[in-house]
Amino acid sequence: HIAIILDGNRRYAKRLGMQPWKGHEFGVKKLDDLLEWCRELGVKELTLYSFSTENFRRTKTEKDFLFSIFKKEFNNMKHREDIFKNKIRINVIGRLEMFPKDIRKAMLEIMEKTKKHNKFIVNFAMAYGGRQEITDAFKKVIEDIEKHKLNPKNINENTIKKHLYLKNEPDLMIRPGGEVRTSNFLTWQSTYAEWIFINKLWPEFTKNDLIGCIEEFNKRKRRFGE
């Protein structure tokens, strides 16, 4: 299970002398390659930090541009032969209610259409924040207590985990873009994941970079706090 922060789209566009938000088009094109590479390399699950709760603070121009991409891409997924041929399951995790209804509808439809696929899972973290995810999990726990479905004395780590957006924990976290921070991504799930930070911007990321990350991961001894 690999998780990636898709960082550097805007800086990539600036390098090319383009409007910053145009870089997101390059980032989306790179995703098609990534899905193919991951399948070839035997990755079973992929989680992508695509749009954070903080990203809603960006300019209206950039958000409108991004939202048009999101709507187009999630609608296109319903007709993509590779997704159905290769039994790829699409999940979208986060506070989806923050998006316009048409985008939310497209997200929910592709999740419904692929929910029985089990060869390869792709999770798009949209309107996502790690602290927000934990906050929402706590709200659900409190609701269960109020409905007498849960005894507070029985709360443990598994109780919280069961209420998170993403139940599975990544083995490897990759952040392109040159920044060395976790940026509120999978705060709970990444506790014992291995992190690799890369100076290349996301649109520059290659199959060899992915292979290099996996090779580095395989060299590391995971102790899980022991």
Side-chain angles (χ1 to χ4, degrees):
H1 183 177
I2 295 177
I4 304 178
I5 298 177
L6 307 179
D7 190 25
N9 292 333
R10 295 192 296 178
R11 282 174 284 160
Y12 184 76
K14 285 180 181 178
R15 279 187 191 174
L16 299 178
M18 303 168 69
Q19 295 285 4
W21 55 85
K22 287 284 187 179
H24 299 301
E25 290 182 335
F26 295 102
V28 168
K29 288 177 183 176
K30 184 63 65 173
L31 281 179
D32 289 338
D33 294 332
L34 178 68
L35 297 190
E36 184 63 29
W37 301 336
C38 285
R39 283 199 321 102
E40 287 178 14
L41 295 169
V43 176
K44 298 299 182 186
E45 187 163 0
L46 181 66
T47 301
L48 303 167
Y49 202 3
S50 308
F51 195 80
S52 72
T53 49
E54 289 78 16
N55 289 156
F56 281 92
R57 300 174 191 160
R58 292 184 176 178
T59 65
K60 185 179 185 302
T61 301
E62 182 170 359
K63 284 189 294 184
D64 287 347
F65 187 82
L66 277 165
F67 288 177
S68 68
I69 290 177
F70 296 157
K71 182 180 177 181
K72 176 185 173 186
E73 292 301 320
F74 282 110
N75 277 319
N76 284 348
M77 285 180 193
K78 292 182 288 185
H79 310 289
R80 280 180 51 166
E81 183 180 345
D82 62 321
I83 286 177
F84 294 90
K85 178 183 176 183
N86 297 311
K87 299 294 182 184
I88 300 173
R89 181 177 178 180
I90 303 295
N91 290 323
V92 190
I93 60 171
R95 292 180 172 175
L96 306 190
E97 68 277 4
M98 295 179 72
F99 286 108
K101 286 183 179 179
D102 55 348
I103 296 175
R104 197 161 67 246
K105 180 174 180 286
M107 293 172 174
L108 295 173
E109 284 178 352
I110 189 59
M111 284 194 280
E112 177 64 25
K113 284 182 177 289
T114 63
K115 66 181 181 181
K116 294 182 179 179
H117 292 180
N118 57 10
K119 294 283 182 70
F120 179 36
I121 300 171
V122 182
N123 308 300
F124 290 92
M126 308 283 293
Y128 177 87
R131 289 183 175 181
Q132 290 84 343
E133 178 180 24
I134 295 169
T135 300
D136 289 348
F138 270 85
K139 288 179 181 177
K140 291 175 185 175
V141 169
I142 291 168
E143 285 176 10
D144 285 349
I145 293 171
E146 290 175 344
K147 293 176 181 176
H148 304 290
K149 293 181 179 179
L150 177 65
N151 185 331
K153 292 181 180 179
N154 296 329
I155 294 175
N156 55 32
E157 288 186 16
N158 284 331
T159 310
I160 306 301
K161 183 178 179 178
K162 188 171 72 173
H163 290 87
L164 295 171
Y165 308 146
L166 184 68
K167 308 300 184 288
N168 298 336
E169 297 181 359
D171 303 292
L172 171 61
M173 308 282 293
I174 301 172
R175 178 165 192 164
E179 305 291 353
V180 186
R181 56 177 177 268
T182 61
S183 293
N184 202 21
F185 184 40
L186 301 181
T187 306
W188 180 284
Q189 298 92 332
S190 67
T191 304
Y192 291 113
E194 296 293 325
W195 280 86
I196 295 178
F197 298 93
I198 296 174
N199 287 325
K200 281 187 176 180
L201 304 177
W202 166 243
E204 299 171 321
F205 193 81
T206 67
K207 184 177 182 180
N208 283 336
D209 291 322
L210 179 61
I211 291 171
C213 289
I214 293 172
E215 289 176 346
E216 169 63 24
F217 169 82
N218 288 333
K219 292 176 186 174
R220 297 184 184 183
K221 184 175 181 181
R222 304 182 73 196
R223 296 183 177 86
F224 299 96
E226 294 177 358

